[in-house]
Amino acid sequence: MNILILSAGTRNKIVQYFKRECEPGDRIIATDCSNLAPALYEADAFYLVPRITHPDYLKKVLEICKTEKIDGVLSLIDPELSLLAKNKEAFERVGTTVIGSDYELVETCFNKYAMYKKLKELGIPTGRCYMDKELFYLEKKEGKIDYPVFVKPVCGSASLHINKVGSDEELEVLFGLYEDLMIQEFMDGDEYGADVYIDMLTGKTSAVFLKKKIKMRAGETDKSVSVKDVTLFETLQRFVEACGFKGIIDIDIFHIKGSYYISEVNPRFGGGYPHAYESGVNVPGLIMQNLRGKVTASHIGDYEEGICMMKYNEVLIQRISQKEIIE
């Protein structure tokens, strides 16, 4: 079994977890565009590749898949997920399975307004969203919504360019400066995260891990505590199976006045996934079972409550001459 992890970057833990699940003869291969990406050095082998915007990027990745006889490929960054999903058949022709959801669903996740409409269609509670600021003004006048609100790009990630807005004047400035913005209701409540695995063979939910977020840093969970809620488990299972997700997804949730609201969906390993793995929710193991043709058993809620995650800084030292450094 050979797994290829693209755009490994600083996600050392993900590479380590896949390595722990390896059987004799299994190999974990990693790629990045820089040899200063520390996660590369956790893998059995690594390749330096062009940036994903380079015209030869896909060709290079497919060549690696053929050379290394890769069984499954996944990416750890948002911009690459659509590229993989769109070229699923090209990977299948070289014997490689793309680990993740289909292209249309990946695109829906990255279009926050499209995901809002999908949630509304399924009857899943979520915050109000507006592409049309005049409609927002109208519903604000009718008392359906009020400031503060978030103004954010319709398509974006890592919490970039998100602004909390408290007046018409601020709203007009942002809409005058940038295109493709949307307005999202400010959800004032406790924030939760869910790591969910959907069996790639059956489309059924295999695992759900819930955590209450205690502290965030740069858009990622920095400190959290494991929790359980049967009602939320059921809501998430209904949601992911109705949409047709496959593989690992990361879901942001708010708890407001006794109700849960789904905020965003990321069809990849979230930055807080180490909390799930260290609590016993072994998604790399589930992925490798699926790639071996085995249906995974249900592990929904199979972990302890009250387990805390606290991220901290670590360093990796590697001898690389100055002229060999690729940033």
Side-chain angles (χ1 to χ4, degrees):
M1 177 67 62
N2 298 320
I3 306 291
L4 179 61
I5 300 176
L6 303 175
S7 301
T10 59
R11 304 293 294 278
N12 294 52
K13 285 294 183 184
I14 299 298
V15 181
Q16 291 171 15
Y17 295 155
F18 272 97
K19 286 278 292 175
R20 288 185 199 174
E21 302 310 316
C22 286
E23 297 179 0
D26 293 346
R27 298 176 77 234
I28 306 301
I29 316 298
T31 72
D32 204 274
C33 62
S34 169
N35 60 356
L36 295 181
L40 292 177
Y41 303 97
E42 305 281 358
D44 292 301
F46 70 82
Y47 289 80
L48 295 181
V49 295
R51 295 187 180 277
I52 64 172
T53 53
H54 192 282
D56 292 332
Y57 179 76
L58 181 63
K59 178 182 177 182
K60 177 64 176 176
V61 172
L62 288 168
E63 287 174 356
I64 295 169
C65 289
K66 286 188 285 186
T67 300
E68 296 287 351
K69 296 181 173 57
I70 297 297
D71 296 285
V73 60
L74 61 91
S75 176
L76 300 179
I77 62 171
D78 290 342
E80 196 164 23
L81 300 177
S82 294
L83 178 69
L84 291 181
K86 191 174 185 179
N87 292 280
K88 180 180 178 181
E89 292 182 358
F91 283 96
E92 288 175 348
R93 285 196 291 270
V94 298
T96 303
T97 297
V98 172
I99 301 164
S101 299
D102 293 338
Y103 177 73
E104 292 78 10
L105 193 49
V106 170
E107 287 288 285
T108 297
C109 290
F110 295 147
N111 184 309
K112 294 178 177 61
Y113 192 74
M115 178 51 69
Y116 164 72
K117 291 194 293 184
K118 172 64 73 174
L119 289 163
K120 294 290 287 183
E121 174 189 320
L122 294 172
I124 305 291
T126 186
R128 292 174 180 268
C129 293
Y130 304 84
M131 288 283 291
D132 181 356
K133 61 183 172 66
E134 299 305 324
L135 177 58
F136 164 73
Y137 287 143
L138 176 62
E139 295 205 348
K140 181 169 72 74
K141 186 176 180 180
E142 293 174 347
K144 296 178 181 178
I145 191 169
D146 203 353
Y147 292 114
V149 295
F150 281 120
V151 174
K152 58 176 66 176
V154 175
C155 299
S157 62
S159 298
L160 295 175
H161 309 302
I162 295 178
N163 293 276
K164 187 177 178 182
V165 170
S167 69
D168 293 357
E169 291 75 19
E170 292 177 71
L171 192 70
E172 289 295 336
V173 167
L174 289 171
F175 269 79
L177 288 173
Y178 306 109
E179 296 181 349
D180 297 321
L181 294 179
M182 61 176 276
I183 302 163
Q184 185 179 57
E185 181 180 1
F186 174 65
M187 287 181 277
D188 188 12
D190 293 325
E191 191 169 356
Y192 289 72
D195 300 284
V196 183
Y197 187 75
I198 304 93
D199 190 281
M200 293 189 292
L201 302 177
T202 66
K204 299 297 182 182
T205 308
S206 299
V208 180
F209 176 81
L210 296 177
K211 55 184 174 283
K212 182 179 180 181
K213 300 180 182 183
I214 298 170
K215 186 176 180 181
M216 302 291 290
R217 179 170 58 173
E220 289 190 359
T221 305
D222 195 49
K223 294 173 174 45
S224 54
V225 60
S226 61
V227 297
K228 295 185 180 184
D229 189 299
V230 174
T231 300
L232 185 52
F233 286 154
E234 292 172 351
T235 297
L236 294 173
Q237 184 174 0
R238 176 165 64 90
F239 166 62
V240 299
E241 292 179 8
C243 288
F245 283 104
K246 292 181 180 178
I248 178 68
I249 64 170
D250 167 68
I251 305 176
D252 294 333
I253 304 154
F254 283 90
H255 189 234
I256 305 170
K257 296 179 181 179
S259 297
Y260 290 102
Y261 296 78
I262 290 180
S263 173
E264 293 189 14
V265 181
N266 304 298
R268 54 165 170 74
F269 279 101
Y273 171 71
H275 192 176
Y277 184 89
E278 300 294 347
S279 298
V281 181
N282 182 1
V283 170
L286 297 175
I287 288 172
M288 295 178 88
Q289 284 183 50
N290 272 173
L291 291 176
R292 289 188 169 95
K294 299 177 181 178
V295 172
T296 57
S298 175
H299 299 280
I300 297 173
D302 286 357
Y303 58 88
E304 289 184 36
E305 288 191 282
I307 304 297
C308 290
M309 178 189 74
M310 297 156 275
K311 285 186 180 178
Y312 63 96
N313 293 331
E314 184 56 277
V315 297
L316 185 146
I317 304 299
Q318 192 77 18
R319 184 181 296 280
I320 306 174
S321 69
Q322 188 170 343
K323 64 181 180 181
E324 294 175 319
I325 292 174
I326 300 172
E327 298 182 25

